């Protein structure tokens, strides 16, 4: 058995995808297997073995290319009364009204991958018309959704455009920024990490625009990274950024292979066996840490939100400097606004 039953389980129901994102860490994958129900249930039972509640993130590829299997898995979770919350991350292209209503019925959260305005989305991902059509449908159905944007050199100057695009949607709850992972397509230099100075300037403008918008919105739009900085500051201590940092997450491929998270899939150094033969030595990625001697000069020392360990692993020092710059900029803005007293 795996040493530590996961509290965060990522089911890659298919590796197939219907878009060609410029920075995809999985590379050029447009076809792939669909996860068998038996594989999914073995993973779910592995997580349930702890007796504690756990979270299931349904992902891909594009999971709605295997929509029938997605709902079969959700039905089994409900039927077996597993103590699990569920969410699905999609590019939105295939998200229709019936699918959205079914996800709502299963109380499954919806995350949409959007990198900017329709123009930016088309350049970096494609399928922008269909994705934004899905947002309109979710708004009409009053189904909450969150947005995740991959942060790269090609969209860092367009972050406020993402806010403007989301402003009309009252069902939009929040958004987060994930630095691209220099693996797969990004490693082939089709897309790059943003420059530090540009990231700082654009983040500050983003925060100003967000506060302006939120004063006019009935439901404030939460900026995930700002919320992380505020939470870490108020708690007065640093915590693990995610479950992978403490060895409590597990990504499962369609053929049942196990990795600490989806961004590690395919890396032989991070392979954790299979659902039939899991490794007893869990790779916690604890050696991939944001903290270093340079932290002693940071106002967030001891209260830093941290960073995704696989992004740190693949992005190296450049990624470390960027996430630090992002957090410091948010901190400085929050001090200026009176959200943090120093």
């Amino acid at each position: 058995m795996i040493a530590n039953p996961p509290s965060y389980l990522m089911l890659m129901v298919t590796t197939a995808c219907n878009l060609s994102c410029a920075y995809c860490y999985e590379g050029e994958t447009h076809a792939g297997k669909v996860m068998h129900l038996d594989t999914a249930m073995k993973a779910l039972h592995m997580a349930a073995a702890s007796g504690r509640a756990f979270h299931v993130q349904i992902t891909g590829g594009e999971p709605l290319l295997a929509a029938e299997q997605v709902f079969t898995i959700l039905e089994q979770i409900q039927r077996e009364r597993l103590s699990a919350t569920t969410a699905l991350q999609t590019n939105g292209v295939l998200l229709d009204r019936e699918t959205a209503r079914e996800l709502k019925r299963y109380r499954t959260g919806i995350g949409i991958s959007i990198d900017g305005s329709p123009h930016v989305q088309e350049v970096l991902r494609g399928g922008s018309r269909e994705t934004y059509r899905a947002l309109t449908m979710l708004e009409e159905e009053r189904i909450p959704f969150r947005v995740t944007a991959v942060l790269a050199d090609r969209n860092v100057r367009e972050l406020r455009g993402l806010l403007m695009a989301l402003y009309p949607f009252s069902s939009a709850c929040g958004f987060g920024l994930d630095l691209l992972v220099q693996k797969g397509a990004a490693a082939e230099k089709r897309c790059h990490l943003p420059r530090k100075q540009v990231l700082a300037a654009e983040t500050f403008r983003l925060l100003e625009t967000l506060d302006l918008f939120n004063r006019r919105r009935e439901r404030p739009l939460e900026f995930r990274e700002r919320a992380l900085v505020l939470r870490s500051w108020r708690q007065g201590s640093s915590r693990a950024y995610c479950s992978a940092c403490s060895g409590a997450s597990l990504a499962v491929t369609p053929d049942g292979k196990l990795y600490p998270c989806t961004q590690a899939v395919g890396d032989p150094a991070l392979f954790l066996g299979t659902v039939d033969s899991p490794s007893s030595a869990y790779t916690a990625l604890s050696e991939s840490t944001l903290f270093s001697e340079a932290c002693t000069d940071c106002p967030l020392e001891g209260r830093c939100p941290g960073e995704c360990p696989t992004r740190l692993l693949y992005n190296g020092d450049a990624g470390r400097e960027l996430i630090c710059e992002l957090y410091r900029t948010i901190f400085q803005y929050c001090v200026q606004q009176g959200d943090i007293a120093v």
Side-chain angles (χ1 to χ4, degrees):
M1 280 294 294
I2 197 159
N4 188 14
S7 60
Y8 195 98
L9 187 67
M10 290 156 275
L11 298 180
M12 299 177 65
V13 292
T14 180
T15 53
C17 192
N18 50 353
L19 296 181
S20 298
C21 300
Y23 42 71
C24 179
Y25 56 76
E26 294 181 25
E28 297 288 345
T29 305
H30 299 284
K33 298 178 181 178
V34 173
M35 180 178 287
H36 194 277
L37 180 60
D38 182 58
T39 299
M41 295 314 299
K42 287 177 180 178
L44 288 164
H45 292 155
M46 190 182 299
S50 69
R52 298 186 295 272
F54 61 98
H55 180 73
V56 179
Q57 184 77 15
I58 299 174
T59 183
E62 169 48 48
L64 291 183
L65 286 170
E68 183 177 347
Q69 195 67 319
V70 169
F71 289 114
T72 300
I73 291 169
L74 291 175
E75 178 63 29
Q76 284 297 115
I77 291 173
Q78 188 177 86
R79 184 174 298 168
E80 295 194 16
R81 298 183 179 181
L82 298 179
S83 184
T85 55
T86 58
L88 178 137
Q89 188 70 28
T90 173
N91 58 39
V93 170
L94 299 175
L95 186 59
D96 57 25
R97 202 171 297 272
E98 181 181 357
T99 301
R101 287 175 177 174
E102 277 292 281
L103 289 169
K104 182 179 181 180
R105 185 171 72 84
Y106 284 107
R107 299 181 180 180
T108 297
I110 297 176
I112 311 288
S113 300
I114 301 179
D115 296 330
S117 66
H119 170 71
V120 172
Q121 180 78 352
E122 190 63 34
V123 170
L124 289 179
R125 289 182 180 267
S128 61
R129 179 180 299 178
E130 293 82 1
T131 298
Y132 274 91
R133 185 183 297 143
L135 298 194
T136 300
M137 177 272 298
L138 290 171
E139 181 73 7
E140 292 169 350
E141 293 289 325
R142 298 183 179 180
I143 297 176
F145 65 89
R146 302 186 73 86
V147 165
T148 300
V150 172
L151 189 56
D153 59 340
R154 293 166 66 178
N155 71 334
V156 67
R157 296 181 187 275
E158 307 291 338
L159 294 179
R160 287 175 295 168
L162 173 61
L163 282 187
M164 293 175 189
L166 292 178
Y167 179 74
F169 300 105
S170 60
S171 294
C173 300
F175 69 99
L177 303 177
D178 287 345
L179 284 176
L180 70 79
V181 181
Q182 294 186 124
K183 180 182 179 227
E188 297 167 6
K189 306 305 179 185
R190 289 175 54 187
C191 219
H192 304 267
L193 290 166
R195 288 190 296 127
K196 185 168 69 171
Q197 295 84 351
V198 176
L199 175 62
E202 294 302 327
T203 298
F204 203 89
R205 294 188 183 103
L206 174 72
L207 289 160
E208 291 179 320
T209 304
L210 178 63
D211 280 349
L212 176 63
F213 280 6
N214 278 342
R215 285 196 288 270
R216 302 177 181 180
R217 282 177 59 98
E218 183 177 344
R219 172 188 285 174
L221 191 64
E222 182 188 70
F223 178 19
R224 183 186 64 194
E225 280 65 40
R226 181 180 187 173
L228 286 173
V229 168
L230 287 172
R231 185 186 68 189
S232 294
W233 180 263
R234 290 164 183 166
Q235 288 175 341
S237 62
S238 297
R239 297 174 55 187
Y241 176 82
C242 65
S243 300
C245 297
S246 55
S249 73
L250 204 61
V252 188
T253 67
D255 55 0
K257 292 179 181 177
L258 306 178
Y259 294 88
C261 76
T262 54
Q263 293 175 163
V265 167
D267 189 332
L270 300 177
F271 177 60
L272 297 176
T274 69
V275 291
D276 292 313
S277 181
S279 170
S280 59
Y282 195 97
T283 303
L285 293 170
S286 58
E287 62 273 15
S288 297
T289 177
L290 182 61
F291 311 117
S292 69
E293 291 181 1
C295 295
T296 56
D297 296 324
C298 179
L300 282 168
E301 182 189 7
R303 302 185 183 191
C304 178
E307 168 62 328
C308 164
T310 46
R311 285 201 293 268
L312 286 170
L313 178 65
Y314 297 119
N315 290 343
D317 290 340
R320 188 173 281 104
E321 289 181 8
L322 284 170
I323 197 65
C324 289
E325 191 69 20
L326 177 66
Y327 289 150
R328 280 195 293 263
T329 301
I330 293 171
F331 174 82
Q332 290 162 5
Y333 182 84
C334 288
V335 170
Q336 177 181 299
Q337 296 301 307
D339 297 326
I340 290 177
V342 295

